[in-house]
């Protein structure tokens, strides 16, 4: 069964600090891995997309890494801001040849305190 | 270019009634996806549609749930004879091409409450 596990479940950090969120998956065959940011009461917003051949992707202060051998990904947030407070969701898609069947993690809830 | 629109934002239904959720994709997007988010759980894929076609409905319950994306107008997710367990946030997303490696844009969601 395809699974995506995220850790920690929740995280509290001070403004300006860095943090790293983890994602382990057992989805096969692997197509791509995405990280989303979801503010409370809103829809998810895409941060990064990585395919099998990519092992790092940056979007501003967000940097995602992918190790396809160990089936792990991380999302690193640099110099956190209050607006980074949100749920961060790891999504791994199954398939090849354009098929799209995603498995979502439960998310890491990040709270940034001033 | 307006984002993905969903309406209503909140919907309250009594058990046994029908719920209709609408999704207007971003302009130029012909691929629509529906997801459900139960309280305290992650999003779950339900169905993937292109204009007038259902591409993949493997995540949608076989009974009471149906989805369409007509040539004209919004995509509709229809839930017949709702039960309390259908209470959830339903999100729609769209993309310009198949979302295998492309960005999806999510709507704000419809929060369905079944009394």
């Amino acid at each position: 069964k395809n699974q995506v596990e995220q850790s920690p479940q929740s995280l509290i950090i001070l403004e300006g600090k860095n943090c790293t969120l983890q994602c382990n998956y057992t989805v096969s065959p692997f197509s791509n891995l995405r990280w989303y940011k979801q503010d409370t009461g809103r829809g998810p917003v895409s941060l990064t997309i990585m395919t099998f051949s990519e092992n790092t992707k940056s979007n501003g202060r967000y940097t995602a890494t992918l190790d396809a051998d160990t089936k792990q990904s991380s999302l690193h947030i640099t110099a956190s801001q209050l607006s980074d407070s949100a749920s961060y969701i790891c999504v791994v898609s199954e398939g090849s040849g354009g098929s799209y069947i995603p498995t979502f993690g439960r998310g890491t809830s990040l709270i940034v305190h001033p | 270019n307006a984002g993905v629109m969903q309406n209503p934002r909140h919907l309250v239904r009594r058990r046994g009634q029908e719920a209709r959720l609408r999704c207007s994709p971003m302009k130029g997007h012909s691929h629509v996806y529906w997801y459900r988010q139960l309280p305290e759980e992650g999003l779950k894929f339900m169905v993937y549609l292109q204009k007038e076609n259902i591409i993949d409905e493997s995540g949608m319950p076989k009974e009471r749930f149906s989805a369409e994306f007509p040539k004209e107008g919004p995509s509709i997710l229809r839930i017949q004879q709702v039960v309390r367990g259908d209470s959830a946030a339903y999100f729609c997303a769209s993309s310009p091409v198949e979302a295998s490696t492309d960005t999806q844009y999510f709507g704000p969601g419809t929060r369905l409450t079944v009394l």
Side-chain angles (χ1 to χ4, degrees):
Chain A
K1 182 182 176 184
N2 290 336
Q3 286 190 310
V4 175
E5 301 288 340
Q6 291 189 242
S7 62
Q9 190 173 0
S10 60
L11 183 61
I12 301 174
I13 62 173
L14 291 177
E15 187 179 12
K17 297 296 186 184
N18 304 335
C19 67
T20 301
L21 315 179
Q22 302 291 344
C23 172
N24 295 338
Y25 63 92
T26 57
V27 176
S28 182
F30 175 87
S31 177
N32 61 72
L33 184 146
R34 308 160 190 247
W35 282 94
Y36 286 91
K37 177 187 178 189
Q38 185 176 21
D39 292 310
T40 302
R42 309 283 290 271
V45 174
S46 179
L47 296 175
T48 61
I49 305 174
M50 287 184 291
T51 57
F52 186 86
S53 58
E54 298 172 293
N55 53 25
T56 188
K57 184 76 71 83
S58 289
N59 178 1
R61 294 180 296 104
Y62 301 102
T63 299
T65 64
L66 172 64
D67 186 335
D69 291 330
T70 61
K71 298 188 177 180
Q72 296 179 326
S73 176
S74 66
L75 180 69
H76 186 74
I77 304 175
T78 305
S80 61
Q81 300 175 358
L82 298 179
S83 59
D84 292 334
S85 295
S87 179
Y88 291 84
I89 303 170
C90 175
V91 185
V92 183
S93 294
E94 170 193 344
S96 59
S99 173
Y100 173 72
I101 302 175
T103 301
F104 288 75
R106 290 195 174 193
T108 291
S109 176
L110 174 66
I111 298 175
V112 180
H113 276 180
Chain B
N1 189 2
V4 177
M5 313 270 286
Q6 288 188 251
N7 68 81
R9 293 293 307 277
H10 300 273
L11 183 61
V12 179
R13 284 287 178 266
R14 296 192 181 279
R15 279 179 296 169
Q17 291 184 318
E18 178 181 285
R20 280 189 180 230
L21 288 62
R22 293 175 190 77
C23 169
S24 296
M26 286 181 71
K27 188 176 180 181
H29 289 193
S30 59
H31 299 254
V32 165
Y33 313 80
W34 285 94
Y35 302 89
R36 177 164 65 175
Q37 188 172 34
L38 293 168
E40 307 301 321
E41 298 216 359
L43 283 92
K44 295 275 195 301
F45 167 78
M46 297 183 74
V47 61
Y48 164 31
L49 309 105
Q50 252 186 297
K51 282 285 187 182
E52 300 184 273
N53 289 310
I54 295 175
I55 307 301
D56 188 329
E57 56 182 346
S58 58
M60 197 158 67
K62 295 284 189 288
E63 296 179 356
R64 303 189 296 110
F65 285 74
S66 62
E68 62 177 14
F69 188 17
K71 189 176 179 181
E72 302 290 338
S75 175
I76 306 285
L77 179 67
R78 184 179 175 210
I79 311 173
Q80 295 178 288
Q81 299 175 325
V82 295
V83 300
R84 289 225 173 99
D86 296 333
S87 295
Y90 291 82
F91 290 95
C92 161
S94 74
S95 62
V97 295
E98 193 172 11
S100 55
T101 55
D102 203 351
T103 299
Q104 285 191 324
Y105 298 85
F106 280 78
T110 293
R111 275 143 191 87
L112 172 66
T113 302
V114 180
L115 301 177

